[in-house]
Amino acid sequence: MALKRVMVLTGGGDCPGLNAVIRGIVKRAAQKPLSGDASDDWEVIGCVESFNGVLREPTEIVMLDEKTVEGLQIQGGTILGTTNKGGPFAWPVKNGDGTWTTVDRSDEMLRKLQYMGVDAVINIGGDGSQRISLGLAKKGLNIVGVPKTIDNDLSMTDYTFGFQTAVQICTDAIDKLVTTAASHNRVFILEVMGRDAGWIALHSAIAGGADVCLIPEIPYDIEKVKAKIEQRYNKRRGYCIIVVAEGAMPKGGTVTGSETGEVGYQHVKLGGVGEQLAADLKAAGVEHDIRYTILGHLQRGGTPIAFDRVLATEFGVRAMEFVIEGRYGQMVAYHHPDVVGIPLEEAVREQNLVAPDSRLVHTAKGVGIEFGD
Ligand code: F6P
């Protein structure tokens, strides 16, 4: 019986449930042996801040055992730390003139992993992280991906963990906004996360009973939003709840955001569509008071709800089993009621976006929610 080593890391934006995955991996590695297991023993190490822990000198690696992960399914964030900048294929380096460029350090990292005696890697992350997994798998690394993102925008899994927690947080916010909106006869705009996919907005708008839901997949006509608002008022009295995803845009318009200027950050930092919408509605002639709230990173923080703890645990256990079985180059995915393996190439091929003609949009329209289309 050989002692083998698997390295676990978390990449991209954090997400409730990351720690539950880590716990699932470590606990599964410690069970000896469940039916069908190969006879190797596995020790689990954690790489700090995505792949940075291997790439940095000195390396930042932690031992993970059953004691370390005790009770971790409750805890938000990630005990390993994470980053959504850079990575082994695009490591930021400062030039002499103060500008930054990126270099490919993947080969160097693979050599280092070999030297460290790492037999396999489990990469817990979203689409960007799984693209890195794919690149490393192509170079021969034994790697298994675990999908995470509150946005639920990975197409090959029914759900990513963290999504339902984010939806619950948004729904709780709508519940609270309804009472103050009704008391003041106000229009309330709630800006939620969702860069390319409007799943959080759509689910929470239905759950919270919102009147308008604006998502990236359906550019909106401001006049239709205005008409819905007026329909919700009888002269002065009434209120209206609008849920808008950060990536939503008016017809013929663009997303609202700014460059962060942060080294290695490859996205526009979205934010401000709620404020912009309030201004546009005023300009379009809406006379009612309008307020907006940006939930921001509150949606990613705190403890995962039970559904996400269960899903994250299933992903962790299954990912470790893929390692035990030598099923590399795959991402674990939830296909109700099973957790299956999807080749990484397929896993990152396309995003999971809300189809404007989908059943859930139909349901939302069936309860009177306006999309502005
Ligand atoms: O990918 C999840 C997400 O929450 C997006 O919806 C959002 O645009 C992004 O992360 C924000 O990430 P950060 O501000 O942490 O870079």
Side-chain angles (χ1 to χ4, degrees):
M1 187 187 298
L3 177 63
K4 291 192 165 178
R5 183 173 286 169
V6 57
M7 185 180 86
V8 181
L9 59 118
T10 52
D14 73 337
C15 176
L18 286 168
N19 284 324
V21 180
I22 296 169
R23 174 177 172 272
I25 291 166
V26 173
K27 281 197 160 275
R28 181 62 185 87
Q31 309 305 314
K32 339 209 153 356
L34 293 191
S35 58
D37 279 8
S39 54
D40 298 319
D41 261 348
W42 285 89
E43 95 179 345
V44 188
I45 60 172
C47 183
V48 172
E49 246 178 58
S50 189
F51 283 104
N52 291 358
V54 187
L55 291 162
R56 283 194 188 126
E57 277 306 338
T59 50
E60 291 180 83
I61 301 294
V62 291
M63 287 302 298
L64 296 171
D65 57 22
E66 282 199 279
K67 190 83 198 126
T68 333
V69 299
E70 205 174 283
L72 215 55
Q73 75 281 2
I74 303 175
Q75 211 173 300
T78 160
I79 57 162
L80 293 175
T82 188
T83 178
N84 50 10
K85 298 171 196 157
F89 291 100
W91 183 262
V93 177
K94 200 169 195 172
N95 300 317
D97 61 1
T99 59
W100 289 81
T101 183
T102 57
V103 293
D104 183 348
R105 293 184 62 194
S106 57
D107 289 332
E108 174 198 340
M109 190 182 82
L110 292 177
R111 281 195 299 276
K112 219 165 166 184
L113 288 176
Q114 209 172 5
Y115 175 74
M116 287 163 56
V118 172
D119 299 288
V121 170
I122 299 177
N123 186 9
I124 314 167
D127 54 349
S129 302
Q130 300 316 334
R131 268 192 206 100
I132 294 174
S133 299
L134 175 61
L136 295 170
K138 283 184 175 164
K139 289 186 168 221
L141 185 68
N142 294 334
I143 192 162
V144 173
V146 176
K148 74 85 228 184
T149 159
I150 64 161
D151 289 359
N152 199 39
D153 58 2
L154 280 156
S155 64
M156 285 297 157
T157 181
D158 290 354
Y159 288 109
T160 50
F161 63 87
F163 166 64
Q164 297 289 0
T165 302
V167 169
Q168 191 59 54
I169 292 167
C170 295
T171 304
D172 291 346
I174 297 171
D175 293 349
K176 292 186 170 86
L177 291 177
V178 163
T179 58
T180 178
S183 304
H184 285 265
N185 299 298
R186 279 175 170 159
V187 175
F188 251 97
I189 300 170
L190 178 67
E191 180 178 320
V192 303
M193 280 187 172
R195 172 170 289 279
D196 305 306
W199 293 111
I200 296 176
L202 177 57
H203 279 246
S204 59
I206 294 172
D211 306 294
V212 179
C213 176
L214 305 177
I215 59 176
E217 297 88 338
I218 307 179
Y220 58 87
D221 177 344
I222 194 83
E223 288 301 325
K224 295 211 169 134
V225 179
K226 182 184 165 198
K228 181 67 188 185
I229 292 171
E230 297 310 339
Q231 189 198 320
R232 293 279 299 138
Y233 282 77
N234 179 10
K235 300 210 176 87
R236 270 204 65 262
R237 303 212 63 78
Y239 70 93
C240 182
I241 302 291
I242 300 175
V243 180
V244 59
E246 60 182 353
M249 67 201 91
K251 281 187 177 162
T254 52
V255 291
T256 314
S258 55
E259 296 295 333
T260 61
E262 293 168 9
V263 176
Y265 195 78
Q266 282 156 3
H267 299 292
V268 169
K269 183 172 169 288
L270 296 182
V273 65
E275 182 179 7
Q276 187 57 50
L277 180 62
D280 291 347
L281 286 169
K282 279 282 165 204
V286 173
E287 289 179 353
H288 312 291
D289 289 352
I290 306 177
R291 296 287 187 274
Y292 61 86
T293 298
I294 303 175
L295 268 189
H297 294 78
L298 285 176
Q299 293 159 90
R300 290 206 327 225
T303 59
I305 62 168
F307 178 92
D308 284 333
R309 293 184 203 183
V310 174
L311 183 59
T313 304
E314 281 205 279
F315 279 171
V317 167
R318 206 67 196 104
M320 189 59 222
E321 285 174 346
F322 275 28
V323 167
I324 292 168
E325 294 159 15
R327 293 175 61 186
Y328 299 118
Q330 308 217 18
M331 184 187 82
V332 296
Y334 179 46
H335 286 187
H336 181 76
D338 296 319
V339 175
V340 299
I342 304 287
L344 282 165
E345 201 126 39
E346 258 178 67
V348 298
R349 194 166 293 144
E350 56 188 52
Q351 278 185 305
N352 175 29
L353 302 178
V354 176
D357 59 355
S358 62
R359 179 190 54 81
L360 206 54
V361 172
H362 182 79
T363 298
K365 287 184 173 175
V367 290
I369 296 176
E370 173 65 55
F371 286 81
D373 52 342

